[in-house]
Amino acid sequence: MCVGKCTRILGPCLIALGVLSIAANVLLLFPSWTWSYVKEGRITKQAMQVPGVWGGGIIVLLAATQITAVGWHCGRSSDCGTCRNMFLSIVLSGLALLGSTACFILSGVGLTNGPLCLYNQTEVLQWDYPFSLSSRAQNYLYDPSLWNSVCIEPPNVVAWNIYFFSVLLVISVVEMVLASLQVINGFFGCLCGLCEGK
């Protein structure tokens, strides 16, 4: 596959993943479709840091739009500053790789720590991270019976966090792979050109 065609495939894939990452992180802020927890500041710390918006979303979208533009513009024009544009795509893809890595790390930490929720701690209701404070931290992901029995409020917050942090993890892994491929592709584009019509 030539460099130009690869660029035209990788760019739109990264755009779709960036949009999905933003959507997943925004949904993570509204457990059980309720906005009152955001207003009260009772959202998991890693969700409030919005790694899916800035890391897996905006940074990846910046790289993806440039990659897509280079692929389509240079496919139709013989004089498009190929080396300069491909070098820029290498730099932006490197930033996208860093952003998606940050999203991966913060999503993993959010998944490991569990959600911020109201739970019963020795007859006193308390807002905290119950799964990171006890021996249950090792197995809450594998024991669905704990999901609704430990956290009282927000309803179904454990499943909500597991689903959306897992989605962010998968999206960020795919973004890291595609951004790495574009770094390699951009390197060959600088050396060999886009090989359109060859």
Side-chain angles (χ1 to χ4, degrees):
M1 179 184 302
C2 80
V3 173
K5 185 180 262 186
C6 188
T7 301
R8 286 192 296 273
I9 293 170
L10 291 175
C13 289
L14 284 170
I15 287 173
L17 289 168
V19 170
L20 288 173
S21 180
I22 291 171
N25 204 143
V26 168
L27 289 173
L28 197 52
L29 297 174
F30 302 100
S32 301
W33 305 103
T34 307
W35 64 273
S36 62
Y37 299 108
V38 174
K39 187 174 84 171
E40 296 166 0
R42 294 188 170 153
I43 299 294
T44 304
K45 184 174 25 179
Q46 287 75 26
M48 289 296 283
Q49 292 170 345
V50 291
V53 173
W54 61 266
I58 294 171
I59 294 176
V60 170
L61 286 173
L62 287 173
T65 52
Q66 195 274 342
I67 292 164
T68 303
V70 166
W72 288 105
H73 173 70
C74 291
R76 292 188 308 244
S77 171
S78 61
D79 182 32
C80 66
T82 304
C83 189
R84 176 178 36 96
N85 284 328
M86 292 310 275
F87 179 74
L88 183 58
S89 84
I90 292 170
V91 172
L92 290 175
S93 295
L95 288 175
L97 182 61
L98 289 176
S100 56
T101 301
C103 181
F104 179 81
I105 291 168
L106 289 172
S107 298
V109 170
L111 193 60
T112 302
N113 289 345
L116 173 68
C117 67
L118 182 67
Y119 72 102
N120 190 359
Q121 181 187 17
T122 63
E123 306 302 322
V124 177
L125 293 178
Q126 177 178 339
W127 283 93
D128 209 344
Y129 296 89
F131 300 110
S132 67
L133 299 174
S134 68
S135 62
R136 290 183 284 220
Q138 285 97 18
N139 65 4
Y140 94 95
L141 292 171
Y142 304 109
D143 190 359
S145 67
L146 292 175
W147 295 4
N148 290 325
S149 64
V150 174
C151 288
I152 300 167
E153 198 178 326
N156 300 317
V157 70
V158 178
W160 191 270
N161 271 22
I162 289 172
Y163 298 147
F164 287 112
F165 274 131
S166 297
V167 166
L168 284 173
L169 281 171
V170 170
I171 288 172
S172 60
V173 166
V174 175
E175 285 176 341
M176 286 188 282
V177 169
L178 294 180
S180 298
L181 287 174
Q182 181 54 35
V183 168
I184 295 166
N185 188 49
F187 179 73
F188 284 118
C190 275
L191 294 178
C192 309
L194 293 178
C195 71
E196 298 292 331
K198 292 182 181 176

